[in-house]
């Protein structure tokens, strides 16, 4: 069972360094964006709280309710932000998998051809990136397998 799980992870993280680098970049951008929004929200709340406090006519109970609701909203916003960040990182994993997988497959085919197995061709999954590059490479290899035109005439 553990070996099967490792295989699934290996299938997802085809090029771990490449994929994790881009996932980290997406996470950092998401965190910076979340912090910027949180700071703007904090400043907005601070100014509004000062305005409400200056009036003095607002009962302490109303301000207590205000602060309680503000705390609930802040907690909800943190949960939503964390969920959004997790979705962004998952999206980055999917996107990098669709580009890293084909590159990994290209390298395997290139190595096989270098070892003398010229019949090898690149076969990608339907949703992978670089379909046009794989098709061009396969056409090139098919052309290299055929004898040159001058030799056909002799």
């Amino acid at each position: 069972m553990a070996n099967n799980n490792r295989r699934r992870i290996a299938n997802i993280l085809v090029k771990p360094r490449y994929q994790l680098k881009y996932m980290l970049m997406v996470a950092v951008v998401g965190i910076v964006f979340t912090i910027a929004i949180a700071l703007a929200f904090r400043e907005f709340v601070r100014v509004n709280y000062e305005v409400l406090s200056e009036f003095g006519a607002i009962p302490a109970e109303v301000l207590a309710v205000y602060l309680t609701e503000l705390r609930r909203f802040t907690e909800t916003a943190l949960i939503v932000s964390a969920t959004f960040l997790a979705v962004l990182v998952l999206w980055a994993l999917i996107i990098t998998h669709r580009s890293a997988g084909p590159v990994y497959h290209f390298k395997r085919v290139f190595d096989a051809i270098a070892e003398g197995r010229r019949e090898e061709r690149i076969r990608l999954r339907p949703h992978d990136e670089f379909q046009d590059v794989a098709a061009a490479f396969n056409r090139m290899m098919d052309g290299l397998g055929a004898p040159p035109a001058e030799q056909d005439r002799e």
Side-chain angles (χ1 to χ4, degrees):
M1 181 79 166
N3 190 24
N4 195 17
N5 285 340
R6 271 193 225 129
R7 181 173 166 83
R8 283 188 197 133
I9 291 171
N11 287 344
I12 292 171
L13 290 176
V14 178
K15 296 291 263 178
R17 188 172 182 192
Y18 165 80
Q19 288 179 272
L20 292 174
K21 178 175 78 173
Y22 284 100
M23 288 170 56
L24 180 63
M25 286 171 46
V26 167
V28 166
V29 168
I31 289 168
V32 167
F33 181 73
T34 301
I35 289 171
I37 294 295
L39 290 174
F41 176 72
R42 179 176 176 246
E43 183 62 19
F44 174 76
V45 169
R46 186 187 64 76
V47 169
N48 283 325
Y49 183 75
E50 285 177 5
V51 169
L52 288 174
S53 298
E54 283 178 17
F55 282 116
I58 298 174
E61 299 85 32
V62 173
L63 284 176
V65 169
Y66 174 77
L67 291 176
T68 301
E69 289 301 315
L70 179 61
R71 192 173 299 115
R72 282 189 194 146
F73 177 80
T74 304
E75 290 169 358
T76 302
L78 285 172
I79 291 169
V80 169
S81 295
T83 304
F84 181 70
L85 186 59
V87 168
L88 275 178
V89 170
L90 181 62
W91 175 74
L93 174 65
I94 291 167
I95 295 301
T96 59
H97 181 75
R98 287 190 177 174
S99 61
V103 171
Y104 176 75
H105 187 64
F106 286 172
K107 184 182 178 313
R108 284 189 14 222
V109 170
F110 296 163
D111 289 344
I113 290 170
E115 292 170 2
R117 298 193 315 262
R118 292 183 62 179
E119 72 283 353
E120 290 289 327
R121 297 296 179 266
I122 297 173
R123 291 173 189 83
L124 300 178
R125 296 170 296 204
H127 298 293
D128 281 341
E129 297 295 327
F130 308 116
Q131 293 286 343
D132 55 338
V133 176
F137 176 82
N138 289 338
R139 281 193 307 274
M140 178 192 71
M141 288 305 296
D142 291 342
L144 289 176
E150 288 82 18
Q151 290 179 356
D152 287 342
R153 293 183 193 151
E154 293 177 0

